[in-house]
Amino acid sequence: MPADAQLLLLDRDFVEPALQGDQVLAAVREAFVLHSQRAGRVFPVVRETLHTRGVFGIKSGDVASQDLLGFKAAGFWPNNRAKGGEPHQATIALFDPYTGRPLCIMDGNAITTARTGAAGALGLQQLARPDSTRICVFGTGVQATVQLKYALSMLPRRCTVRYVSISGEPEPRFEMAFRDHCAISVAHDRNEAVADSDVVITATPGGGALFDAAAVQPGTHLTCVGTDTAGKRELPQGVLQRARIFVDDQEQARTIGECQWAPELPCTEIGGLLAGTAPFERSASDITVFDMTGLALQDLTVARLLYEHALAKGTGTQVAWPW
């Protein structure tokens, strides 16, 4: 066995600047298409609540034709906020499928943020009305920020944004990030904000229904990000029953996504739309929901991009890893 084998480490300072928006979009699109063609596999998800109030999960998979194998260990630790840290934590590892030897370990926080934002953007592009100009966002954290950033870049017209914060009060830092790109203000009545929106983005910890079902008007598109664990939800009862539902993975959505609350309803995987194998024509009155639970393949295609970039540039930290 080689005694001079190396393991590549890519930390946050490498990962964050290396994530280019167009490349991430392309990688996430590839992941969805691979999944729709079953050319990439998604292994069963681990998602467990800890005694520390944290939630720990593992998402893994492979793409045999690309010799791509790996996992992401990630979760949500709400107590991190009190320590000045980010509640979402993630680490990604890539492996040689022929030997099982680890090839690369990289910081997964920025990757998770970027790939989830890109996934929401692809769903928005496929499902929202092209004339959408009014957006309602629930949340003001990292994921709400990236979802709104991608949404504004995807929609062809200048938008008006209303957001719902935890406190119900304005969040100046959140507003400052978007003032040059849209008219943005805090929503004091969440039901009114939903009713007056073309696009609704929910990016919260998934602690319960965020608004009344009757607030959702015909023609609305909803991007649902926060429900990724059994027992979580953001949508109220009754919305899914009125909607055309799209998911990243049917089984996963019915287990840990919004679809867990109505698993009997039909849903379509977004990869089929992107691959052109699942035709979809939106009428002006359709309500569409993209129930996003996150695919391991999204993490792996983006991680592969960064791994290959680091190898080509000779960057990152190589450490001895004899086997």
Side-chain angles (χ1 to χ4, degrees), residues 8-75:
L8 180 63
L9 304 180
L10 302 178
D11 64 13
R12 178 191 62 188
D13 293 339
F14 171 86
V15 170
E16 286 187 352
L19 288 167
Q20 302 300 313
D22 290 345
Q23 294 177 342
V24 173
L25 274 169
V28 172
R29 184 186 186 94
E30 178 189 5
F32 283 144
V33 172
L34 285 167
H35 185 55
S36 75
Q37 298 170 342
R38 298 306 184 254
R41 293 191 298 171
V42 174
F43 304 151
V45 172
V46 173
R47 193 78 176 173
E48 298 292 341
T49 302
L50 306 178
H51 66 285
T52 61
R53 292 184 60 220
V55 177
F56 178 71
I58 297 175
K59 291 180 177 178
S60 56
D62 72 348
V63 182
S65 63
Q66 300 180 10
D67 289 336
L68 181 60
L69 171 67
F71 70 80
K72 180 176 74 174

Side-chain angles (χ1 to χ4, degrees), residues 21-323:
D22 290 345
Q23 294 177 342
V24 173
L25 274 169
V28 172
R29 184 186 186 94
E30 178 189 5
F32 283 144
V33 172
L34 285 167
H35 185 55
S36 75
Q37 298 170 342
R38 298 306 184 254
R41 293 191 298 171
V42 174
F43 304 151
V45 172
V46 173
R47 193 78 176 173
E48 298 292 341
T49 302
L50 306 178
H51 66 285
T52 61
R53 292 184 60 220
V55 177
F56 178 71
I58 297 175
K59 291 180 177 178
S60 56
D62 72 348
V63 182
S65 63
Q66 300 180 10
D67 289 336
L68 181 60
L69 171 67
F71 70 80
K72 180 176 74 174
F76 186 78
W77 282 264
N79 293 338
N80 286 3
R81 288 197 182 98
K83 303 173 183 177
E86 167 57 41
H88 293 91
Q89 293 295 319
T91 302
I92 295 174
L94 299 179
F95 296 85
D96 180 346
Y98 295 98
T99 64
R101 187 176 68 83
L103 302 174
C104 182
I105 296 175
M106 65 184 75
D107 183 279
N109 285 6
I111 292 173
T112 301
T113 299
R115 65 84 155 151
T116 309
L122 290 169
L124 189 90
Q125 186 182 55
Q126 295 292 312
L127 303 172
R129 298 193 334 266
D131 62 349
S132 297
T133 59
R134 301 168 300 168
I135 303 174
C136 174
V137 181
F138 284 82
T140 58
V142 171
Q143 196 49 236
T145 300
V146 73
Q147 288 293 334
L148 182 53
K149 175 184 174 183
Y150 270 107
L152 292 172
S153 69
M154 281 291 182
L155 293 173
R157 303 184 184 183
R158 187 173 176 86
C159 293
T160 299
V161 175
R162 299 177 73 185
Y163 66 94
V164 179
S165 64
I166 294 176
S167 66
E169 299 299 320
E171 296 278 358
R173 184 178 300 179
F174 185 70
E175 292 186 15
M176 284 294 293
F178 298 103
R179 277 191 175 144
D180 293 340
H181 308 285
C182 63
I184 185 169
S185 61
V186 70
H188 296 293
D189 186 321
R190 57 184 60 200
N191 286 319
E192 179 185 333
V194 169
D196 195 39
S197 295
D198 305 308
V199 173
V200 176
I201 299 169
T202 60
T204 75
L210 298 172
F211 47 84
D212 295 338
V216 180
Q217 300 301 302
T220 304
H221 171 67
L222 299 101
T223 299
C224 303
V225 183
T227 300
D228 57 3
T229 305
K232 284 188 175 185
R233 77 181 309 166
E234 293 182 307
L235 297 183
Q237 179 68 25
V239 171
L240 293 179
Q241 287 75 5
R242 297 167 55 202
R244 301 180 70 174
I245 306 168
F246 297 83
V247 300
D248 40 24
D249 178 83
Q250 291 190 22
E251 182 178 350
Q252 208 168 272
R254 289 176 173 138
T255 304
I256 60 174
E258 288 293 338
C259 289
Q260 69 183 279
W261 303 104
E264 75 284 356
L265 294 177
C267 57
T268 302
E269 291 184 355
I270 196 77
L273 267 65
L274 295 168
T277 57
F280 168 67
E281 291 187 11
R282 170 188 246 290
S283 74
S285 61
D286 280 338
I287 296 171
T288 53
V289 169
F290 186 21
D291 182 11
M292 298 168 49
T293 54
L295 290 180
L297 291 177
Q298 296 168 250
D299 299 306
L300 296 184
T301 54
V302 176
R304 179 204 60 205
L305 177 74
L306 298 183
Y307 176 59
E308 291 176 348
H309 175 70
L311 290 180
K313 297 292 185 181
T315 50
T317 301
Q318 293 277 6
V319 298
W321 200 265
W323 59 292

